[in-house]
Amino acid sequence: MSILLITTVVLATFLLFAILGTPLAYSLLLSGTLGLILLDGVEGAAFELASAPYSTAASYFLLLIPVYVLIGMLVANGGLAEKVYRVANHVLRRVPGGVGVATVVACAGFAAVTGSSIATVATIGRVAVKEMQEFGIRAATAAGLVAAAGTLGALIPPSVVLVLYGFISGESIGKLLLAGIIPGIFVALVYAIYLMIAERGSADGPAGRTVGAEVHSGMAGAASAGSTGSLSSAVAGQLDSSESGSDRSSEGDVGSQADRIPWEAALYVLLIFGVVVGGMYSGFFTVVESGAIGTVLALGITIVEAKRDGRSVPGLLRDSLAESMSVMSMVFGLLLGGGVLAAFFVFTRLPNDLSNWATGLDISPLLLVILLLLILIPLGMVLEPMSIILILVPIYHPIVTALGYDGIWFAILFVRMIEVAMITPPIGLNVFVISGVAKGVSVEQVFRGVFPFLLLDLLCVGIFIAFPEIITFLPDAAGA
């Protein structure tokens, strides 16, 4: 059989398994194994299968995945999301569209320590959509904003998706993590400016009221959702309404605890982010060391917050560890399956052949890069981000670097586009998540509400293409 025919059979087999609902790790493994058998026989495939899983997983930098996953689970279960939202809402309550801007800030802050789009949408959305509605923002716009702002989790470190991209492509993971910071903040600012213009009258909400009167902190743990690509946890919040005024305070009273503005939550988020990113940027810690220290810090904060809220510390830690193990099993299963398929691609020399073919095309290199990015949107509707990275990065990355473009720059664009796919009709995953956690908002309404933010996302990607320094400035300055 020819290489082209074998490759076609392998890709068709993968798609068939995926359509039949086979777990993606198994789909990658079985299709890659079939390709190796067709190329080199059963004995040759067996030899490769004996070494490929170990060579894929035995990487020092992959320690970042369990480290970042555990940080996310501890922070999510510790209840920081709702507290960060309360702080942001209090600070920005007088700004036009302030409650919407507060949602963007809270999503960015929570994403900065979890690296998870799904966890951010599920956690912040449960509180924020109702709050924005009470301040005059339409339900569709409120839900669309949360769905869009949740995508910041893949850019702002710690990001499991960027770690995986760096591992597959060979780019510096430290540089990738630093490169996502400015684009993530930039997108958040664009969202905020749009809201301040579009919702000028929404600052005149219930007088003297803060989100603290509505939200009693307390998270009920996280349930792993294996079909998502980043730290995939749908976090369910336990919300207790309490009738209260704006500034009552009495120690030991539940209502007053809900009213208190938890300023320490913002400090905790900044502290974790500063340790993880500042350690890398300064060179004082390695990438893995900064992640490990950030985990210890998140553990300490979680224990302090659990005791403050009167919750069981052993139970919270048990849940966080169990959920982390579930997510890590999913991630490493995908890695092992993807490693076998990648081994097949190496034997076929498909990435090199496609790279040579692409560089020989009589079209503008920039146009080719844009076309490669646009392909990610329909793929992102049916495949999870990690699967897209495992399948396409070994093909895309050599093409883009052969065209003379910076691999770090393209990596951020790649990750941003697969996150944009998570809010793109008709199968944007974040849209379905927010529709599920926000009562009374249909999927159709969320898609209508998310449309302006989808256009803003595409505008931001265009700006990043036109001005690559936005992405490359921090990694170049750090010299990582």
Side-chain angles (χ1 to χ4, degrees), residues 225-356:
S227 62
T228 66
S230 51
L231 166 58
S232 308
S233 44
V235 185
Q238 296 285 345
L239 306 179
D240 297 322
S241 291
S242 61
E243 183 181 352
S244 57
S246 62
D247 290 314
R248 293 183 310 176
S249 80
S250 151
E251 291 298 323
D253 179 75
V254 173
S256 66
Q257 289 294 326
D259 283 340
R260 186 181 67 85
I261 304 301
W263 299 104
E264 72 282 354
L267 176 62
Y268 291 153
V269 167
L270 290 174
L271 193 58
I272 295 173
F273 181 76
V275 167
V276 174
V277 176
M280 288 189 298
Y281 189 86
S282 65
F284 193 73
F285 304 126
T286 66
V287 177
V288 176
E289 287 170 350
S290 64
I293 294 171
T295 304
V296 174
L297 186 59
L299 175 61
I301 290 170
T302 300
I303 293 172
V304 169
E305 288 297 288
K307 289 183 175 180
R308 181 196 296 272
D309 297 336
R311 300 164 61 201
S312 168
V313 173
L316 190 152
L317 296 181
R318 182 184 62 248
D319 290 344
S320 296
L321 288 172
E323 292 152 9
S324 297
M325 289 298 295
S326 177
V327 173
M328 286 185 284
S329 298
M330 179 268 294
V331 172
F332 278 92
L334 287 171
L335 272 174
L336 296 179
V340 173
L341 185 61
F344 164 74
F345 284 148
V346 169
F347 276 114
T348 62
R349 296 185 57 82
L350 179 64
N352 290 335
D353 292 342
L354 285 176
S355 177
N356 293 333

Side-chain angles (χ1 to χ4, degrees), residues 446-469:
V446 181
F447 273 124
R448 286 197 296 271
V450 85
F451 186 71
F453 302 103
L454 178 60
L455 295 181
L456 290 174
D457 273 327
L458 295 177
L459 173 63
C460 289
V461 170
I463 292 172
F464 298 153
I465 291 174
F467 302 98
E469 297 82 7

